[in-house]
Amino acid sequence: LASPIPLQTPAPVTPFDERDPARLPGTDVRIVSLNTLFGGFLDPGLDGQRIARLLDSVDPDIICFQEQLAPRDFTIPDRLAEIDPREDGRAWNVIEAGDTTTCSPYPLTLLYESSDHHAVLVDLGAGDDIVVFNTHPRCCGFVGSSSDFSRIADMQEKADQIAQIRAGNTPGVDPEAPIVVIGDWNLVGSNTPLDILTDPAGPALADWPIQNLAKRSITTWRSLNGLSFSPGRLDLVADDPTRLLRRNGYVLNTRDLSDDLLASMGLLPDDSRASDHLLLVADYGFFPAGDLTDDGRVDIEDLYATDDATIRDFLRRREAIEIR
């Protein structure tokens, strides 16, 4: 008789390609986005605690919420002051428009608003401003459906507003201010909404397909209640490739993280179950504030003089857009 096959001890399962969530050197602003699934951030129960830990783990400069509409006993600024996600004791400014909410300890100015989005100017100090569009167009549908047409109209409205900014027609905004569009795009029908904002002849923004912190996946939504929809990428960020340097960026799903990384970030394995959407993190740097070429000016030549790999990637993207 053949000898019995010995039992094998399973090898420990570790997350695939787990990366460091920390800010990289040269990061000037961290923007995070989360659809809170009907206002879970202010839920006094488990989901509110989970979202608080998610925010606390990423040290955000700007928070963009969608679907933050639940009845509440206290305000978003109060809740942010309570959890103090930046651990600096600063008060938070909040702008709510429709079911989109933008929060930051930096001064906020409302520029545009509609039922599906709003745009704010964020004054980061030292002359650094950034325009953030927080978006949440109509969900569901298919190519050619009324929902799809609504999303297209919403993105065209954003494109028109960006054109106004670039033309110098938005009071108080530098026409050269960098622009980011972030949020729950509900991109389930045609790709036209994204095409509108990435059109080189229009806003000329660039899609950033940010990957999961621990997997090579860009999925930001998955069903938690048995809905018969496949996981997908509903939460997107499009940015200004000629004015912003991409630093770190990731989609955070706590179920994918190792115990060590969870502990270091102060998270629990089920924290991402607070919503069917996953937290999206996007870090950016601005132009280097230094005369690297010693010619008495800070300009594009100083970018070419640096050996920073992220800046070199920025230059390649910038040149590609100019060629088109």
Side-chain angles (χ1 to χ4, degrees):
L1 296 176
S3 300
I5 299 175
L7 295 176
Q8 300 292 320
T9 301
V13 176
T14 57
F16 181 78
D17 197 28
E18 193 169 70
R19 296 181 290 118
D20 189 345
R23 298 182 187 225
L24 299 177
T27 298
D28 293 304
V29 61
R30 168 167 284 188
I31 308 173
V32 306
S33 177
L34 178 66
N35 181 317
T36 63
L37 189 60
F38 308 118
F41 175 51
L42 295 181
D43 184 336
L46 182 59
D47 284 344
Q49 296 171 31
R50 287 169 167 171
I51 293 175
R53 283 193 294 269
L54 290 173
L55 296 176
D56 198 39
S57 75
V58 296
D59 185 29
D61 296 310
I62 302 169
I63 302 171
C64 294
F65 289 127
Q66 301 87 45
E67 291 195 41
Q68 184 54 52
L69 288 175
R72 48 199 184 243
D73 297 325
F74 53 97
T75 66
I76 291 176
D78 289 342
R79 180 65 168 140
L80 287 169
E82 179 186 17
I83 67 174
D84 193 14
R86 290 164 47 89
E87 298 183 357
D88 58 6
R90 294 178 64 177
W92 284 73
N93 303 299
V94 175
I95 289 181
E96 299 179 75
D99 72 348
T100 54
T101 304
T102 301
C103 319
S104 179
Y106 297 100
L108 301 177
T109 302
L110 180 64
L111 303 178
Y112 298 102
E113 65 176 312
S114 75
S115 60
D116 295 324
H117 73 268
H118 70 270
V120 299
L121 178 71
V122 186
D123 179 2
L124 298 170
D128 289 329
D129 294 341
I130 188 169
V131 175
V132 177
F133 283 78
N134 184 350
T135 187
H136 186 217
R138 185 181 301 176
C139 76
C140 311
F142 47 86
V143 175
S145 67
S146 60
S147 294
D148 193 39
F149 287 134
S150 176
R151 287 188 290 271
I152 293 170
D154 175 65
M155 291 302 171
Q156 186 58 60
E157 184 178 4
K158 288 188 185 67
D160 294 340
Q161 292 165 352
I162 292 171
Q164 291 297 311
I165 292 172
R166 291 291 175 245
N169 296 330
T170 304
V173 182
D174 182 347
E176 296 300 314
I179 294 172
V180 172
V181 180
I182 192 169
D184 175 8
W185 293 45
N186 275 316
L187 203 63
V188 297
S190 70
N191 205 53
T192 304
L194 181 58
D195 293 340
I196 289 171
L197 291 192
T198 57
D199 181 0
L205 301 185
D207 177 24
W208 186 0
I210 296 177
Q211 293 189 359
N212 186 301
L213 185 60
K215 292 182 177 180
R216 291 177 186 169
S217 165
I218 57 175
T219 294
T220 67
W221 181 91
R222 71 277 185 251
S223 175
L224 297 180
N225 57 6
L227 291 175
S228 57
F229 297 108
S230 300
R233 182 183 178 224
L234 300 187
D235 306 85
L236 285 76
V237 55
D239 53 49
D240 199 333
T242 65
R243 296 173 175 86
L244 288 169
L245 307 171
R246 291 175 180 173
R247 294 299 186 179
N248 204 4
Y250 54 88
V251 176
L252 179 58
N253 187 347
T254 52
R255 294 299 299 174
D256 297 330
L257 304 186
S258 66
D259 291 342
D260 287 345
L261 187 53
L262 285 170
S264 70
M265 297 179 72
L267 293 168
L268 300 178
D270 281 341
D271 281 345
S272 288
R273 291 187 63 83
S275 174
D276 50 2
H277 290 258
L278 299 171
L279 187 74
L280 185 67
V281 177
D283 291 349
Y284 292 103
F286 300 118
F287 284 92
D291 181 9
L292 303 181
T293 57
D294 296 322
D295 61 358
R297 301 188 307 272
V298 177
D299 53 23
I300 191 67
E301 298 304 322
D302 297 303
L303 287 180
Y304 283 102
T306 183
D307 59 359
D308 187 298
T310 305
I311 293 178
R312 290 200 302 270
D313 175 66
F314 160 80
L315 293 171
R316 285 193 294 268
R317 291 189 291 124
R318 184 178 188 272
E319 290 168 348
I321 287 176
E322 289 176 344
I323 291 172
R324 288 185 300 194

